[in-house]
Amino acid sequence: MPASSLEQFSGNLKSEIRKVKQLTNKTFAVNYIFPHNEDESSPFTNALFDVLVEEQVKTVVAIGFKMIRSEVEKLKKHGFTILYRPINPTVQSSIEADQLGVDALIVTGREAGGHISQYDISTSSLVSQVTSVVSVPVIAAGGIVDGKGAKAVFAMGAEGVYMGTRFITALENPASITAKQAIINVNSEDFLELEGANERTIPTEAGKKAYELLKNGQKEEALKYYKDGIKIGILEGDLVNGTLSISPAAGGIKQINTCKEIIEEVAHSIS
């Protein structure tokens, strides 16, 4: 990443952190992207770390394809609380993260939106196993859009839920109203899984083209139809040229609510 891009990234991140500080005095976390490998230094990760230290943000959601011991040790040395979210979680990787000293685990089943796990393990299968073998709190993710889903994973031993797709439809979310309405209208059986891309999408025109190209092994040609899907589909609401990579559990979302209403519904269900 060029130095100018790193500077821009750092400046944007500082600005967003300061906005959050103006809105709340509660603890909040920032996503922390691990390098791909233990022996690789990532200028992006280093810049992210420097901003967090400067802004005195002490909680991170650490995300990665692999558990990077050196990054965990660096974060713990500086007093960070680490919520670890592996991209491709397994029971064994959860045990290893627990032993390495993370403070909580975000355990994500394949029902999740965005990047989906390479392993075909459901949220219920994974959460019920992981909570039996780790000592740290488990936060369940993947296909949870309401209090009923939250209550189910709490019964499996989870102590929190991590919801993405549900909050895209929140009133305060900057997503396009067109995208929000498309999420509300979709049925769970409508989704297309983009083979080899570890994504699924509502069947937009771009999504259907990407799906067919990937089926035919044309990965490079397919990429142009889904690589900017979040920006084009979700933020701009262009459902012809963009994609909506979300959880198939979106079939259970029936209306736009405020963040407060969503949280209160979940809290009421599990109380």
Side-chain angles (χ1 to χ4, degrees):
M1 183 180 286
S4 58
S5 297
L6 282 175
E7 290 176 7
Q8 182 178 11
F9 162 74
S10 296
N12 290 342
L13 180 58
K14 288 178 186 177
S15 176
E16 293 301 310
I17 287 172
R18 290 169 186 175
K19 287 179 185 177
V20 175
K21 287 179 176 178
Q22 290 175 352
L23 294 170
T24 183
N25 59 3
K26 304 294 185 182
T27 299
F28 63 92
V30 172
N31 284 351
Y32 190 87
I33 312 301
F34 280 163
H36 286 296
N37 294 298
E38 185 74 55
D39 56 355
E40 291 181 3
S41 176
S42 167
F44 171 82
T45 304
N46 293 340
L48 179 54
F49 177 82
D50 290 342
V51 170
L52 296 180
V53 171
E54 182 180 340
E55 293 297 320
Q56 298 183 339
V57 176
K58 288 297 185 179
T59 305
V60 295
V61 175
I63 303 168
F65 287 96
K66 295 180 180 179
M67 166 58 70
I68 305 299
R69 177 183 295 270
S70 58
E71 290 294 331
V72 172
E73 291 174 347
K74 181 171 71 172
L75 290 166
K76 297 305 290 185
K77 180 180 177 181
H78 285 80
F80 282 87
T81 297
I82 304 173
L83 287 66
Y84 178 52
R85 186 186 185 192
I87 298 295
N88 299 305
T90 63
V91 175
Q92 185 56 40
S93 69
S94 299
I95 293 171
E96 292 169 359
D98 181 24
Q99 292 173 342
L100 196 54
V102 302
D103 298 283
L105 283 162
I106 299 172
V107 175
T108 310
R110 207 169 187 273
E111 301 93 320
H115 188 286
I116 57 179
S117 174
Q118 70 182 62
Y119 301 113
D120 192 13
I121 312 173
S122 69
T123 300
S124 59
S125 296
L126 200 53
V127 169
S128 61
Q129 292 182 73
V130 172
T131 55
S132 298
V133 294
V134 301
S135 61
V136 295
V138 169
I139 301 165
I144 303 166
V145 297
D146 56 18
K148 290 184 293 183
K151 189 172 183 178
V153 293
F154 269 66
M156 297 173 200
E159 296 184 47
V161 290
Y162 187 104
M163 297 165 60
T165 296
R166 183 67 184 93
F167 282 98
I168 294 176
T169 62
L171 182 66
E172 297 90 340
N173 193 291
S176 163
I177 185 62
T178 303
K180 293 178 183 181
Q181 197 60 52
I183 293 171
I184 290 170
N185 292 338
V186 76
N187 296 313
S188 292
E189 66 269 24
D190 294 340
F191 284 80
L192 300 174
E193 185 164 328
L194 304 183
E195 187 176 340
N198 293 102
E199 286 189 31
R200 65 170 64 83
T201 180
I202 283 176
T204 63
E205 291 304 311
K208 288 185 281 189
K209 289 176 182 176
Y211 175 77
E212 291 299 328
L213 288 166
L214 287 167
K215 276 183 63 178
N216 294 325
Q218 297 172 272
K219 293 184 179 180
E220 290 299 319
E221 293 87 343
L223 184 62
K224 65 182 180 181
Y225 289 107
Y226 71 85
K227 69 174 182 177
D228 293 325
I230 291 176
K231 178 177 183 295
I232 297 172
I234 294 180
L235 292 179
E236 297 177 5
D238 183 345
L239 303 187
V240 174
N241 299 301
T243 55
L244 292 180
S245 183
I246 57 174
S247 169
I253 302 173
K254 299 305 180 186
Q255 63 185 36
I256 294 171
N257 295 99
T258 65
C259 289
K260 181 181 179 182
E261 288 170 340
I262 294 169
I263 293 168
E264 286 180 343
E265 188 272 329
V266 171
H268 177 74
S269 295
I270 62 178
S271 62

